[in-house]
Amino acid sequence: MRNIIGQIVDFVTEHNRITLLVMLVLTGAVVAGVPQLDTGSQAGASEDQFDHLDRVQASQYIENTYASTSQRQQNRTIQPVYVWDEDGNTLSKASLLDGLRYQKEILAEEDVQAALHDDGVRGIENLVAKRAAGDANATLGEQITALDETSPEQVERLVKQVLAENPRAQRFLPSDHGDTPSSTDRRTFVAFDTGDGVDEQTRENASATLYNTAEEDSNTFVLNADASEQAQQRFFQEMVELVVPIALLVILSILVFAYRDLVDVIVGMTGVVLSVLWMFGLLGWLGVAAGIVSIVPVVLISGLSIDFGFHIFNRYREQRGPEEGIREPMNRGVRLVTTALILVTVTAAIGFLANLTNPLPMIRNLGVSITLGVVSALVIFTTVVPALKLSLDGLLERVGLDRRQAALGHGSYLQPVLEASATLAQRAAPVVLVLAVVVGGLGGLAWTELDQESFQGSDGEVAEWKQQIPGPVGWEPIEVTEQSQHVEQVYQPASAESAFKSRILIEDDVTSDTTLEDIDDGVATVADEGLLVTQSSTSAERSPLTAMKTVAAENERFAAVLEEHDTNGDGIPDENLETVYDAFYAADSATAEQVIERTDGEYRSMLVTLSLTTDFTEVKSTAPTLEEAAETMEGDDQRAATLAGAVGVNDAFLDEVVGGILLTMVVALVAVIVTLMGVFRAMHGSATLGAVVSVPITLVVALVIGGMYLLEIPLTILTALLMSLAVGLGVDYNIHVGDRFADELDAGATQMEALYAAVTGTGGALLGSTLTSAGAFATIALVPHPQLQSFGSIVVVALLTSFVVSLVVLPSVLVLWSRYTDGIQSVTAEPEPIPQD
């Protein structure tokens, strides 16, 4: 392998212009794949990969058994239009008239008319205006005329009458409004038909009309897909304008400080850009979706590319003697560094590709993306970067400019600091190792204490200082986010139909006498926690019991059956339930089959659907209550009750993903250790050295977990992914130090000479890489979104802990390894000494 590497390096350093020409053509071919890149979202998971979960199986059963019957219900979706006047009264005559005119404007559009459900448009302004017109069937035009001719004082009296006499009017107002004739908030419901008679494009156009019309009034807004898209565009615009310039400034500032040479900065950044372009080009050619989280591989590959550049330039500077030209030291430097870069690429790929076992396409694609990016960086920084560096340095030296530069880590200030880690290892290696094990153990224990969330939602708050930054880089609060937060605070869902739902599938002995009572007790458990929608025209509970009561209200014969089989007078049948179900099917089979499954005359299952006041961000806090409700519905183990629907499936899904990430990390660690043992045995004659270099990676992972605990970063799908990527980040630094140590020993240096060379030469490059990458990722803290802040924080912690472990813990482990083993058994016939400054 060394011979192949040597031949490639010889060609690059001897024929740098040809290399650049060949790589330019190859880059063109690779980058041609970028236009073919699939940028669609790949966040969803294949159902087949989760069908072993009870809750997924229950959801599939519900879909197969009850979906066709539920389709017979009214097909509609409700889009609320909100009015929020913080300093005014949305129940005033002027505001109610504005609401009616808004309705008139949207109803004038053909798409809205075509998409509208029979329920139409309804708001408290309609109730008040019809009362003013004295006609419950008044048209919209008549309502506007009547309200316009009514005095403000009369309108106030009408509002009081509507609120006192029509309980349904409260659903248009905040949850705790009461009966006062003034309010800072109200909402209007627009019902769209979701049946086969209306195509999706028409509904989308109608929804867009609601949004665009609302934009004309500063107090009116709609929280639909158009609003979300506008908010997302604004968010990314703010992020690009604020974060990207600062991140680039941080990177360039550190690179200028570290390289102290503008040419090296330009060459290094060229390599970074080409690596990212190659990654996207390869993704395009291979048909791998980049997805909505493509920013993750971009920033990670940028960081790894900068790291590769530091090692190439630093080793070249170390190798160049006072009287030497540029080709020979570049050849030696690239030869020595390439071994470590290949190891980093291979082991990082193992860590990243281990995510192919993950059920999420998004995570699998990220693993492939980052692996392709690392491979691209290896190719670019062992060909283009050395060749470009040689070409530019040669040109500049021919015009009389000296291109010799001191390597980072050999300065009068930095070198003593780096050497201190080697001195510490020499004097107190056992103590360092014991402390590392203790700290790592504490970090690992924090895993069980991490909070779990589906994702971290933004609260919409923006720090005052970010808003005070002059434009265009100042960050302004996103209006849609503020509006969404406000709606969540003052309203419950528009209706039970549009609320977040959970389903419980009940199977086995569903005809036992206590079945309906147990179901009622289970629903009460959820209601007692305040999780059920209460302000709605329809019930938040749909169960066999509620369906029976609905039918009984219109069917006296069935009502008599319910009463006959209710022995304790609590309104719930509790004997001979099979007869009750038979009567239910006889009275209204269409309603009965929506909540009770009857196959071949046998009652096999029941379905309970609950409309909740929660959402995806509160899955982990809501699931325990719903699980308790399901257990209550099981009775004394007479039947099985399985939590399904959004809450149950997402809770199980998150547990599965987190558990999968943990398994992925273990598999990746084992694979990395085995790989490094094999490579170090082949290249340096010592498998144990490979194990020594790789084992500290477990400490990096443990420290990252501890950092997440201290920073209160929860486990989400994205942060769990980053935990597995910590393996790929952590192995990088250790390999560079371990490989340099082995190279120095192979060249004849003593144990401490090799260690000092590794921590000063390679350690200097690692310091520059850490400062650059960590500084860039730290700028993500400027983004007022907790998910992205968590992402940046985890990567920064991983980078810093990797650096500390490689320069504090690993040297001590290497010293102990040298003391208790035979050391390096050279596999090179005639090792050449490495020239030093």
Side-chain angles (χ1 to χ4, degrees):
M1 182 177 178
R2 285 182 182 272
N3 291 334
I4 297 175
I5 294 173
Q7 292 172 7
I8 295 174
V9 173
D10 287 344
F11 183 88
V12 171
T13 54
E14 291 174 13
H15 307 286
N16 51 296
R17 293 183 180 85
I18 296 177
T19 299
L20 288 175
L21 181 60
V22 171
M23 292 305 296
L24 179 62
V25 174
L26 188 58
T27 296
V30 173
V31 174
V34 173
Q36 305 176 49
L37 191 64
D38 179 8
T39 58
S41 172
Q42 296 294 320
S46 172
E47 195 175 73
D48 294 339
Q49 293 168 317
F50 287 96
D51 58 11
H52 62 285
L53 299 176
D54 291 342
R55 294 178 182 178
V56 173
Q57 292 174 1
S59 295
Q60 293 171 342
Y61 188 87
I62 292 171
E63 182 68 21
N64 295 332
T65 306
Y66 293 98
S68 60
T69 60
S70 64
Q71 289 174 357
R72 299 174 189 170
Q73 301 178 49
Q74 288 184 327
N75 293 314
R76 68 171 187 176
T77 181
I78 295 178
Q79 285 205 12
V81 177
Y82 300 96
V83 180
W84 177 23
D85 188 353
E86 203 166 6
D87 300 316
N89 178 17
T90 62
L91 297 180
S92 67
K93 173 183 175 179
S95 181
L96 294 177
L97 271 173
D98 286 342
L100 293 174
R101 288 167 181 150
Y102 173 87
Q103 293 182 25
K104 182 178 181 181
E105 188 171 352
I106 62 172
L107 290 173
E109 298 294 327
E110 292 183 5
D111 286 322
V112 174
Q113 294 177 13
L116 206 63
H117 186 269
D118 291 340
D119 288 348
V121 184
R122 299 180 180 181
I124 192 171
E125 60 268 35
N126 301 104
L127 299 177
V128 174
K130 288 178 180 179
R131 212 171 257 267
D135 182 2
N137 297 315
T139 64
L140 185 57
E142 292 171 343
Q143 294 174 37
I144 293 175
T145 301
L147 194 62
D148 192 28
E149 294 174 350
T150 305
S151 69
E153 293 75 20
Q154 289 177 311
V155 170
E156 183 176 341
R157 286 195 295 270
L158 291 175
V159 170
K160 288 182 179 179
Q161 292 174 10
V162 167
L163 293 176
E165 299 173 13
N166 191 342
R168 297 185 65 186
Q170 291 290 344
R171 63 182 179 147
F172 303 118
L173 300 172
S175 302
D176 57 353
H177 175 72
D179 57 0
T180 58
S182 64
S183 174
T184 57
D185 295 88
R186 63 176 169 82
R187 59 184 175 177
T188 300
F189 297 151
V190 182
F192 286 143
D193 195 327
T194 58
D196 296 334
V198 181
D199 62 86
E200 186 64 29
Q201 187 61 52
T202 300
R203 281 193 294 269
E204 290 179 2
N205 293 341
S207 182
T209 298
L210 264 59
Y211 174 75
N212 294 329
T213 306
E215 285 286 279
E216 300 171 5
D217 182 355
S218 60
N219 294 328
T220 305
F221 62 92
V222 178
L223 298 175
N224 58 10
D226 298 275
S228 299
E229 182 179 354
Q230 183 67 25
Q232 188 176 41
Q233 291 176 354
R234 172 75 181 279
F235 179 82
F236 281 108
Q237 179 184 349
E238 297 275 12
M239 186 166 63
V240 169
E241 291 178 350
L242 177 62
V243 177
V244 172
I246 296 177
L248 288 175
L249 180 62
V250 169
I251 291 174
L252 291 175
S253 299
I254 297 175
L255 287 178
V256 169
F257 162 76
Y259 287 147
R260 300 178 301 282
D261 185 89
L262 181 59
V263 173
D264 285 357
V265 172
I266 294 174
V267 174
M269 290 304 295
T270 300
V272 172
V273 172
L274 288 177
S275 297
V276 173
L277 287 176
W278 269 53
M279 177 186 70
F280 282 125
L282 292 173
L283 289 174
W285 284 119
L286 296 175
V288 179
I292 59 176
V293 289
S294 55
I295 187 64
V296 175
V298 169
V299 292
L300 285 175
I301 297 310
S302 297
L304 285 170
S305 298
I306 290 171
D307 175 62
F308 283 14
F310 267 113
H311 289 289
I312 292 288
F313 294 141
N314 223 47
R315 190 63 71 93
Y316 162 68
R317 292 180 178 185
E318 283 187 292
Q319 289 297 309
R320 190 173 184 186
E323 304 300 327
E324 276 192 300
I326 57 176
R327 294 189 186 275
E328 292 79 6
M330 179 62 79
N331 184 289
R332 293 194 301 271
V334 175
R335 278 173 177 259
L336 292 168
V337 172
T338 299
T339 303
L341 296 184
I342 292 175
L343 279 175
V344 167
T345 302
V346 171
T347 52
I350 291 173
F352 299 140
L353 290 179
N355 288 289
L356 290 176
T357 61
N358 196 285
L360 274 180
M362 177 187 71
I363 295 182
R364 295 199 303 270
N365 289 340
L366 276 176
V368 174
S369 300
I370 297 170
T371 300
L372 292 176
V374 177
V375 172
S376 299
L378 173 67
V379 173
I380 295 297
F381 278 85
T382 54
T383 56
V384 175
V385 169
L388 185 58
K389 169 74 171 170
L390 285 172
S391 300
L392 293 177
D393 277 5
L395 177 63
L396 293 173
E397 291 203 343
R398 281 196 295 273
V399 297
L401 295 177
D402 186 4
R403 298 295 300 146
R404 291 176 177 82
Q405 299 284 346
L408 184 64
H410 290 276
S412 57
Y413 296 105
L414 188 55
Q415 185 168 348
V417 176
L418 295 173
E419 288 179 343
S421 64
T423 303
L424 176 65
Q426 184 179 23
R427 296 177 179 176
V431 176
V432 171
L433 189 59
V434 170
L435 289 175
V437 171
V438 172
V439 173
L442 293 175
L445 289 175
W447 174 267
T448 59
E449 300 299 321
L450 295 177
D451 291 332
Q452 293 186 19
E453 301 176 10
S454 292
F455 65 93
Q456 293 175 274
S458 174
D459 57 10
E461 295 184 2
V462 178
E464 187 69 26
W465 67 270
K466 295 179 185 178
Q467 300 181 47
Q468 295 176 352
I469 300 175
V473 297
W475 196 294
E476 296 296 331
I478 297 177
E479 191 175 28
V480 172
T481 306
E482 289 184 322
Q483 293 168 345
S484 179
Q485 292 290 326
H486 178 74
V487 167
E488 288 181 9
Q489 291 172 2
V490 302
Y491 293 108
Q492 283 196 8
S495 68
E497 293 100 330
S498 59
F500 195 76
K501 290 182 174 56
S502 180
R503 293 178 171 85
I504 299 176
L505 178 67
I506 304 166
E507 299 174 284
D508 299 334
D509 189 6
V510 296
T511 58
S512 61
D513 291 343
T514 61
T515 298
L516 297 179
E517 291 180 332
D518 290 337
I519 290 176
D520 189 61
D521 290 342
V523 174
T525 300
V526 181
D528 290 343
E529 294 296 324
L531 293 177
L532 292 183
V533 173
T534 57
Q535 191 185 50
S536 174
S537 59
T538 55
S539 174
E541 172 194 356
R542 183 167 183 80
S543 67
L545 185 60
T546 60
M548 288 177 185
K549 289 182 177 180
T550 299
V551 173
E554 300 178 357
N555 188 311
E556 295 182 1
R557 180 177 296 180
F558 181 58
V561 173
L562 291 185
E563 183 177 358
E564 178 185 350
H565 292 83
D566 175 16
T567 62
N568 55 15
D570 62 355
I572 303 174
D574 51 18
E575 71 170 6
N576 199 6
L577 292 189
E578 188 168 356
T579 300
V580 175
Y581 301 161
D582 289 341
F584 186 22
Y585 261 85
D588 189 342
S589 61
T591 299
E593 65 184 7
Q594 294 172 14
V595 289
I596 303 176
E597 176 196 3
R598 182 172 70 173
T599 304
D600 298 329
E602 179 184 356
Y603 295 103
R604 297 184 177 181
S605 70
M606 291 180 165
L607 178 63
V608 176
T609 303
L610 303 175
S611 299
L612 308 177
T613 58
T614 185
D615 58 26
F616 280 106
T617 62
E618 300 173 340
V619 164
K620 276 299 176 183
S621 60
T622 305
T625 299
L626 295 173
E627 289 171 356
E628 182 181 352
E631 291 176 2
T632 301
M633 294 180 187
E634 290 180 347
D636 296 328
D637 295 327
Q638 296 168 292
R639 63 198 75 88
T642 306
L643 179 61
V647 173
V649 170
N650 275 276
D651 180 54
F653 170 74
L654 183 58
D655 288 341
E656 184 81 359
V657 170
V658 171
I661 290 294
L662 187 60
L663 177 61
T664 296
M665 285 193 296
V666 172
V667 171
L669 284 171
V670 172
V672 166
I673 292 173
V674 172
T675 300
L676 287 183
M677 289 178 67
V679 172
F680 269 77
R681 177 68 181 86
M683 302 190 71
H684 299 296
S686 175
T688 57
L689 180 57
V692 164
V693 170
S694 56
V695 167
I697 302 170
T698 57
L699 178 59
V700 173
V701 174
L703 290 175
V704 171
I705 294 172
M708 290 177 63
Y709 174 75
L710 294 176
L711 296 174
E712 298 183 347
I713 299 174
L715 270 175
T716 64
I717 292 175
L718 180 58
T719 58
L721 163 67
L722 292 175
M723 282 301 305
S724 69
L725 299 186
V727 176
L729 293 173
V731 72
D732 184 349
Y733 292 6
N734 284 348
I735 286 176
H736 282 299
V737 173
D739 186 67
R740 178 65 180 270
F741 178 74
D743 280 341
E744 296 292 341
L745 290 179
D746 201 25
T750 65
Q751 167 199 307
M752 291 312 300
E753 288 174 343
L755 196 58
Y756 276 107
V759 299
T760 55
T762 300
L766 292 179
L767 176 61
S769 175
T770 302
L771 292 176
T772 306
S773 301
F777 279 104
T779 61
I780 296 179
L782 296 172
V783 181
H785 195 291
Q787 187 75 78
L788 290 175
Q789 290 172 349
S790 295
F791 164 63
S793 299
I794 290 176
V795 176
V796 169
V797 170
L799 290 168
L800 294 178
T801 54
S802 296
F803 176 74
V804 171
V805 168
S806 65
L807 286 190
V808 176
V809 178
L810 183 57
S812 294
V813 179
L814 293 174
V815 167
L816 294 175
W817 172 83
S818 298
R819 289 177 183 174
Y820 299 108
T821 65
D822 295 331
I824 290 288
Q825 303 296 320
S826 178
V827 295
T828 305
E830 295 181 2
E832 298 180 4
I834 301 173
Q836 301 294 327
D837 292 344

